[in-house]
Amino acid sequence: NYIMETKNLSFQYPDGTHALDNICLHLEKGTTTGLLGGNGAGKSTLFLLLNGILKPTQGEVLYNNQPISYTSKGLQQLRQSVGIVFQDPDTQLFSASVYEDVSFGVVNLGISESEARVRIERALKQTGTYELRHKPTHSLSYGQKKRVALAGIIAMEPTVLILDEPTAGLDPQGVKEIMDLIDTLKQNLNMAIIIATHDMDLVPLYCDYLYVLKSGQLHTSGTVSDVFSQP
Ligand code: ADP
Ligand code: ADP
């Protein structure tokens, strides 16, 4: 029983580029899925399809066994359950302070103010950005901004968490902290996590399933132990 699934998913950009071709992928709660592929393989396009920002040209995306509804209400509901943290934090952060940036998504969830505050403070602490909360986001380092962008999404407690290169540009200690936090979210909140990464070393340490995209096609998929034991 999968929380998210794509069925024969294809996407062609208006200029004719075939970005994805016939992709079947599953995401399961309480697991981390690694998505590997070089530049232009289709990783970002896949994420935008999972989040409903793009609409398939063929095939479908299912959430909780239901095809996504591309109405504004359907998409609003989807985006409360499917959180995406983009590779470049500057595309995601635009408030005056770290605290406000982390609050942005949470305050639109319709939860109480006190519950929102608990979640915001927890996310700030989990990502190591609590001490930065009064600072203007634009004054932070790249690594700090990446943590703030992550905090804003995990405070929403999405069921599916999409991470595009979460460790890019972080030092080894930062990589370990972020990946350990992701492991905690998977275990404690039973999230389904999908991570695009160039860092092969992370896969056996943190991923349960692996998909490898090549030029928009699925090259390899399976459990990490199966894929890594193939000759
Ligand atoms: P990745 O995230 O793996 O680097 P992308 O999903 O960004 O891959 O790109 C997949 C393919 O789609 C590439 O050939 C890329 O050039 C193309 N592409 C990405 N965005 C657009 C766009 N807005 N218009 C046209 N082609 C695009
Ligand atoms: P200080 O340490 O300056 O007293 P805190 O960060 O403890 O301030 O803030 C007090 C409370 O106000 C916190 O519990 C937090 O939920 C809330 N808060 C802090 N900064 C903001 C902000 N920019 N916008 C809204 N609420 C905030």
Side-chain angles (χ1 to χ4, degrees):
N1 186 19
Y2 302 113
I3 186 69
M4 267 201 115
E5 199 174 339
T6 72
K7 285 190 176 165
N8 306 102
L9 179 67
S10 298
F11 186 81
Q12 191 175 4
Y13 281 100
D15 70 357
T17 306
H18 287 275
L20 288 176
D21 185 23
N22 205 30
I23 304 299
C24 296
L25 169 143
H26 309 100
L27 302 178
E28 209 174 315
K29 282 195 201 179
T31 71
T32 298
T33 299
L35 180 65
L36 295 178
N39 276 336
K43 304 181 298 295
S44 308
T45 304
L46 176 63
F47 287 168
L48 297 175
L49 285 157
L50 291 177
N51 194 243
I53 292 171
L54 295 176
K55 202 173 166 180
T57 43
Q58 271 179 57
E60 56 185 358
V61 180
L62 286 83
Y63 180 82
N64 216 359
N65 302 311
Q66 300 288 323
I68 291 180
S69 156
Y70 293 91
T71 59
S72 61
K73 186 158 177 283
L75 290 175
Q76 192 190 343
Q77 282 175 350
L78 181 76
R79 285 170 197 159
Q80 294 190 349
S81 307
V82 180
I84 179 162
V85 183
F86 293 102
Q87 180 168 358
D88 177 4
D90 285 326
T91 61
Q92 200 147 4
L93 304 170
F94 38 77
S95 304
S97 71
V98 166
Y99 191 96
E100 286 175 56
D101 263 319
V102 175
S103 315
F104 182 79
V106 183
V107 298
N108 292 313
L109 289 179
I111 56 176
S112 72
E113 218 170 293
S114 58
E115 169 68 9
R117 185 170 297 202
V118 167
R119 290 210 204 166
I120 292 161
E121 297 202 352
R122 188 164 52 213
L124 286 165
K125 286 173 185 162
Q126 284 177 318
T127 54
T129 57
Y130 186 74
E131 303 308 321
L132 304 171
R133 66 194 178 284
H134 299 304
K135 294 209 173 200
T137 312
H138 66 78
S139 70
L140 305 184
S141 73
Y142 178 78
Q144 289 171 331
K145 285 181 187 172
K146 279 191 88 81
R147 290 161 184 267
V148 173
L150 177 62
I153 299 299
I154 66 176
M156 295 173 71
E157 300 188 355
T159 311
V160 176
L161 178 63
I162 300 174
L163 302 166
D164 198 352
E165 297 282 352
T167 61
L170 302 185
D171 62 21
Q173 180 60 25
V175 170
K176 186 173 173 356
E177 284 169 13
I178 291 295
M179 294 308 298
D180 287 346
L181 168 60
I182 290 165
D183 251 5
T184 304
L185 296 170
K186 159 175 113 170
Q187 275 152 26
N188 295 359
L189 296 180
N190 203 30
M191 286 183 185
I193 296 167
I194 180 165
I195 303 181
T197 182
H198 280 99
D199 191 347
M200 270 290 269
D201 295 344
L202 296 180
V203 173
L205 290 174
Y206 294 103
C207 298
D208 305 293
Y209 296 97
L210 177 65
Y211 290 86
V212 183
L213 283 178
K214 236 181 190 169
S215 310
Q217 308 217 348
L218 206 52
H219 180 259
T220 309
S221 66
T223 66
V224 166
S225 49
D226 283 351
V227 172
F228 277 72
S229 65
Q230 276 168 15

